[in-house]
Amino acid sequence: MESQSKVDISFASGDQKNNYRVAALMVSDGKLLAMRDSQSSYLYLPGGRVQMGEAAEPAIMRELKEDLHISAQIEHPLWLSQSFFTRLMAAKIIMNCVCIF
């Protein structure tokens, strides 16, 4: 059986892009872990896009292992958020991001 590469649940239409992502709320000693990359002027919670056929819980575990090289334990999902914002990259992109925290 051939292995299939996983595809992120993300699609673009014109100048709009839609993402389904998960994020972890990680608190230690009263401090919240937030991240920033070289392309972003804002902070965000660790996580990433969910792949086709993947549930939210395995997706956040995979993302934490890939990005932070840690194994975490999920206590419970906290909330669902939908955000609309404009991101300036090579072109102006209107983002719609659905995220489970």
Side-chain angles (χ1 to χ4, degrees):
M1 182 178 194
E2 287 183 41
S3 66
Q4 296 178 340
S5 62
K6 297 285 185 171
V7 176
D8 291 339
I9 301 175
S10 178
F11 64 92
S13 177
D15 65 348
Q16 297 185 16
K17 186 170 186 177
N18 294 270
N19 290 321
Y20 170 31
R21 68 182 308 271
V22 289
L25 193 67
M26 301 174 68
V27 179
S28 178
D29 294 327
K31 297 178 183 175
L32 175 67
L33 175 63
M35 302 169 59
R36 178 181 298 158
D37 60 41
S38 61
Q39 299 176 5
S40 302
S41 61
Y42 51 85
L43 295 171
Y44 56 91
L45 298 174
R49 294 186 185 126
V50 177
Q51 296 175 342
M52 294 293 284
E54 184 177 42
E57 291 86 353
I60 191 59
M61 300 303 283
R62 176 184 50 77
E63 286 290 342
L64 293 175
K65 187 162 282 294
E66 287 175 5
D67 296 345
L68 302 176
H69 308 286
I70 63 170
S71 295
Q73 180 178 351
I74 298 173
E75 291 186 20
H76 55 84
L78 293 174
W79 72 86
L80 174 71
S81 170
Q82 184 172 15
S83 303
F84 294 91
F85 58 95
T86 301
R87 187 162 188 192
L88 298 174
M89 302 275 290
K92 177 180 162 183
I93 300 173
I94 300 167
M95 301 289 292
N96 174 17
C97 187
V98 176
C99 186
I100 296 176
F101 295 88

